[in-house]
Amino acid sequence: MKQKIALFFIFCLTLCTSAIAQKQKMEQDEKDEKRDARTTRIKDKTDYALFHRQMLSLKEYTDERMKIPKLKNANKMPVKVSAVVDTTIDMDDEAGNKTLIGYIKQDIGDNSTNVYEVTFDRAQKKIVGVKFTGESNEPEKEEKAAPKKAGPVKAVHKKNKDDDDDDEPEDDKPSKKDKDEDKE
């Protein structure tokens, strides 16, 4: 029995050594390329993290966070404001290597809009531009336009002749009014 185990051990050892011997060793150029790729990935990750932290400290981001309660009351849906770094930049492009683009995003329910576009300079390691995109839902404009009353305000919707009745569900059953008209 001991001879079978020893023979099996020797057989496995020869298979392993032959597999290791067949593996080609990397040349110095390949090692350098692999190391350079790893260092660029690490630099990219640190730039993304730094950019994200700087976006969170922006005045525009805090202003959008302050609007969340108003938007929740106006839309009756969950509202979320987040800072997002665009990592899908084509690295072959020279401009892509110098700058990063990020967005301050506003999510209301399933609707997602970019409120601000933020540009980060990788050489200076700081944000160089913040541009308002104008896509956000702002309840303040509606509040400023409407006069404020002392008591609670009830919304009254007056229907025009052109408005469709999409709000009310259509019933397959005829109403009493329709039955009376059919009888006459």
Side-chain angles (χ1 to χ4, degrees):
M1 182 70 179
K2 290 182 180 180
Q3 291 177 347
K4 288 182 181 180
I5 294 174
L7 185 62
F8 181 71
F9 179 70
I10 293 172
F11 178 71
C12 290
L13 192 61
T14 56
L15 284 178
C16 292
T17 55
S18 64
I20 292 172
Q22 290 178 0
K23 185 178 178 184
Q24 294 178 353
K25 294 187 177 182
M26 294 176 66
E27 294 180 13
Q28 188 63 32
D29 294 337
E30 292 173 349
K31 288 181 181 179
D32 291 342
E33 288 176 9
K34 193 173 182 180
R35 185 177 50 246
D36 290 341
R38 185 176 61 246
T39 56
T40 56
R41 279 194 313 268
I42 292 170
K43 286 180 182 177
D44 289 344
K45 284 183 181 181
T46 56
D47 284 346
Y48 296 152
L50 179 65
F51 182 30
H52 188 260
R53 272 188 269 135
Q54 287 182 6
M55 282 176 57
L56 293 177
S57 66
L58 283 175
K59 177 186 170 283
E60 290 82 1
Y61 179 76
T62 55
D63 290 345
E64 289 299 316
R65 298 272 305 167
M66 299 299 275
K67 295 178 186 177
I68 289 176
K70 292 179 184 177
L71 289 170
K72 278 185 181 179
N73 290 336
N75 294 315
K76 308 285 190 248
M77 297 179 118
V79 177
K80 181 180 176 185
V81 174
S82 58
V84 180
V85 178
D86 186 11
T87 59
T88 59
I89 298 174
D90 185 19
M91 290 299 165
D92 296 334
D93 186 20
E94 291 178 12
N97 287 333
K98 295 178 183 176
T99 61
L100 290 174
I101 296 177
Y103 301 98
I104 297 176
K105 235 173 55 166
Q106 184 182 69
D107 298 325
I108 301 175
D110 293 336
N111 188 13
S112 178
T113 56
N114 294 334
V115 183
Y116 289 97
E117 182 177 308
V118 184
T119 308
F120 178 80
D121 188 7
R122 292 179 119 173
Q124 297 176 2
K125 302 286 186 198
K126 67 178 187 175
I127 293 175
V128 293
V130 177
K131 185 172 79 173
F132 181 70
T133 59
E135 297 178 10
S136 69
N137 298 331
E138 295 186 12
E140 297 147 2
K141 293 179 182 178
E142 296 170 7
E143 289 177 7
K144 290 179 182 176
K148 294 191 175 186
K149 297 181 181 177
V153 180
K154 293 183 180 179
V156 178
H157 178 69
K158 295 182 181 179
K159 292 186 179 181
N160 295 335
K161 294 178 182 177
D162 298 334
D163 287 346
D164 293 335
D165 291 335
D166 293 337
D167 303 72
E168 301 173 340
E170 294 182 19
D171 294 327
D172 293 336
K173 300 176 184 177
S175 64
K176 291 181 180 179
K177 197 180 216 183
D178 293 336
K179 288 181 182 177
D180 293 339
E181 290 176 3
D182 290 341
K183 288 181 182 178
E184 293 177 4

